[in-house]
Amino acid sequence: MPTILAIESSCDETSASICTDGIIRSNVTATQKVHEQYGGVVPELASRAHMQNIVPVVDAAIKDANCTFDEIDAFAFTQSPGLIGALLVGGQFAKSLALALNKPLISVHHMQAHVIANLIDNPKPAFPFLCLTVSGGHTQIVLCESPLKMQVVGQTIDDAAGEAFDKTAKIMGLPYPGGPLIDKYAQEGNPNRYSFPEPQIAGLDFSFSGLKTSIMYFLNNGGQSNAFKEEYQVSVEERESFIKDNLHDICASVQHRIVSILLNKLKKASKQYGIKEIAIAGGVSANSGLRKAIQDLGNDLNWNVYLPSFTYCTDNAAMIAITAHYKYLSGDFVDLSVSSSARAQWS
Ligand code: KG4
Ligand code: ZN
């Protein structure tokens, strides 16, 4: 029954979505291109772009859903984690609408919303399920017992999987965000041509910083070895031509290792908890190598694997709207004094 207008502005996508009774009616996202030239998201530029985009994006979401502001029962926004200036734009906008129209306000945790994106389309995972949440800032295995009850059972101790993709791409001279580009080049490459080490981390936690370093040494050695010898064993020109001549195989091999690190831990978690309902979420879940590998593994291990559609993998407001839907049903509202939080870790 409730109709909710949700806003997402935690990083570099300004997004608005309308959902009625858990069905997404519109989901409009403006991606900020301004960061490409800087090799990463520049927080101040992100806040400014959100301020430019927020009115047209919300307007388009209302129009796409064929809806009016009078129909909205509650306003929702991403509270945390994210860039503080970016979060403030979406948060203040949602608060202003809630105040002006005298409607309740719902705050949503961005990482919880990535997981709940799996409940937008059919078929939906049955509870309890395990979700591998892989984004630019997080890498987690989440045990979900209900839409609002979930716990992180494994996570990265350093870089996130998305960072591993983006930083590797940067080392190779590719623009930000590098993840989709590595995915594209990997499709025509040999994943077994080069071998990068798999970190030995206890339990269900992940580590990606060593992989990034070994790739850097590998490229600096002109592809001869990924062991540390001395930086720049080859000239800058030789390094560049090695990357250019072998780009597809390097990307395929890097992607292969990132995917195997993720899936080995997921396999372990499935065994440990005895759960075969397996979902993925977050920007990196758009990766074609990961999507194929998890389906193959699922076939081998009799898992039911759930892959959100591409629009719901990277940051979007539909995932905020669907999470807010469940919060609305349980009466979980916040008042206007609630603050946004930039904390990367938020329980
Ligand atoms: O979830 P998301 O949109 O934003 C965060 O909450 O961080 O994830 C962004 C991350 C970036 O690191 C981006 O490179 C990565 O997701 N990404 C991909 C692909 N599409 C997005 N990584 C690998 N392959 C892709 N196809
Ligand atoms: Zn995200």
Side-chain angles (χ1 to χ4, degrees):
M1 184 272 306
T3 293
I4 293 166
L5 191 165
I7 295 171
E8 152 65 32
S9 70
S10 63
C11 193
D12 57 346
E13 326 270 5
T14 318
S15 186
S17 170
I18 311 275
C19 130
T20 298
D21 206 15
I23 308 290
I24 300 301
R25 293 168 57 183
S26 66
N27 179 44
V28 177
T29 303
T31 300
Q32 303 176 2
K33 298 279 175 213
V34 62
H35 308 287
E36 274 171 17
Q37 58 189 302
Y38 300 102
V41 177
V42 183
E44 175 62 19
L45 296 179
S47 314
R48 285 167 192 250
H50 283 306
M51 288 180 61
Q52 283 169 346
N53 294 340
I54 190 97
V55 171
V57 163
V58 169
D59 218 29
I62 289 274
K63 286 203 180 90
D64 271 16
N66 207 6
C67 176
T68 64
F69 278 107
D70 293 344
E71 284 178 54
I72 310 288
D73 297 304
F75 294 94
F77 67 100
T78 304
Q79 186 187 6
S80 185
L83 302 170
I84 188 67
L87 288 164
L88 280 170
V89 177
Q92 296 304 323
F93 203 84
K95 283 182 195 178
S96 308
L97 286 169
L99 177 66
L101 299 168
N102 196 24
K103 291 289 156 90
L105 185 67
I106 300 171
S107 70
V108 173
H109 188 296
H110 182 84
M111 298 313 295
Q112 181 180 19
H114 269 303
V115 176
I116 297 303
N118 280 285
L119 302 183
I120 295 177
D121 288 330
N122 287 316
K124 304 181 195 337
F127 295 102
F129 68 88
L130 287 172
C131 185
L132 174 69
T133 313
V134 272
S135 72
H138 293 76
T139 299
Q140 302 175 331
I141 297 177
V142 182
L143 170 61
C144 306
E145 292 169 54
S146 74
L148 301 180
K149 190 169 179 222
M150 53 183 76
Q151 59 166 313
V152 176
V153 295
Q155 61 190 317
T156 182
I157 57 168
D158 42 53
D159 288 349
E163 267 177 300
F165 273 107
D166 296 340
K167 287 181 178 173
T168 308
K170 194 171 177 182
I171 293 169
M172 287 194 275
L174 299 174
Y176 176 87
L181 283 174
I182 291 191
D183 188 355
K184 183 175 143 201
Y185 296 131
Q187 286 172 28
E188 287 163 42
N190 173 2
N192 299 313
R193 169 103 183 264
Y194 305 111
S195 173
F196 298 107
E198 176 151 7
Q200 302 302 314
I201 306 293
L204 298 177
D205 287 341
F206 303 89
S207 167
F208 288 99
S209 68
L211 176 66
K212 177 190 66 194
T213 311
S214 76
I215 292 163
M216 190 175 76
Y217 291 144
F218 166 78
L219 297 176
N220 291 350
N221 286 322
Q224 290 154 38
S225 155
N226 54 26
F228 174 68
K229 286 186 186 156
E230 206 180 286
E231 285 211 43
Y232 291 100
Q233 295 256 307
V234 295
S235 68
V236 174
E237 291 74 27
E238 282 172 303
R239 182 184 184 277
E240 276 175 11
S241 69
F242 169 71
I243 295 172
K244 192 164 155 271
D245 295 344
N246 301 285
L247 186 63
H248 295 107
D249 289 348
I250 299 171
C251 289
S253 303
V254 167
Q255 180 170 295
H256 178 69
R257 176 51 77 213
I258 295 174
V259 169
S260 81
I261 294 172
L262 293 171
L263 293 188
N264 284 340
K265 291 291 178 158
L266 191 57
K267 208 154 72 174
K268 200 168 174 181
S270 162
K271 204 166 166 202
Q272 189 171 321
Y273 288 94
I275 294 175
K276 287 174 181 271
E277 291 284 300
I278 308 287
I280 55 174
V284 180
S285 65
N287 183 267
S288 59
L290 174 61
R291 291 171 89 89
K292 180 168 184 318
I294 197 172
Q295 272 172 321
D296 291 346
L297 186 65
N299 287 338
D300 287 350
L301 300 176
N302 288 323
W303 290 353
N304 293 320
V305 174
Y306 301 88
L307 307 175
S309 68
F310 288 111
T311 340
Y312 303 140
C313 288
T314 46
D315 289 348
N316 66 89
M319 68 185 194
I320 307 301
I322 187 82
T323 309
H325 167 79
Y326 290 104
K327 288 192 142 193
Y328 186 101
L329 297 183
S330 71
D332 189 351
F333 302 111
V334 287
D335 66 39
L336 294 170
S337 65
V338 68
S339 58
S340 293
S341 164
R343 277 175 296 175
Q345 302 298 328
W346 203 46
S347 68

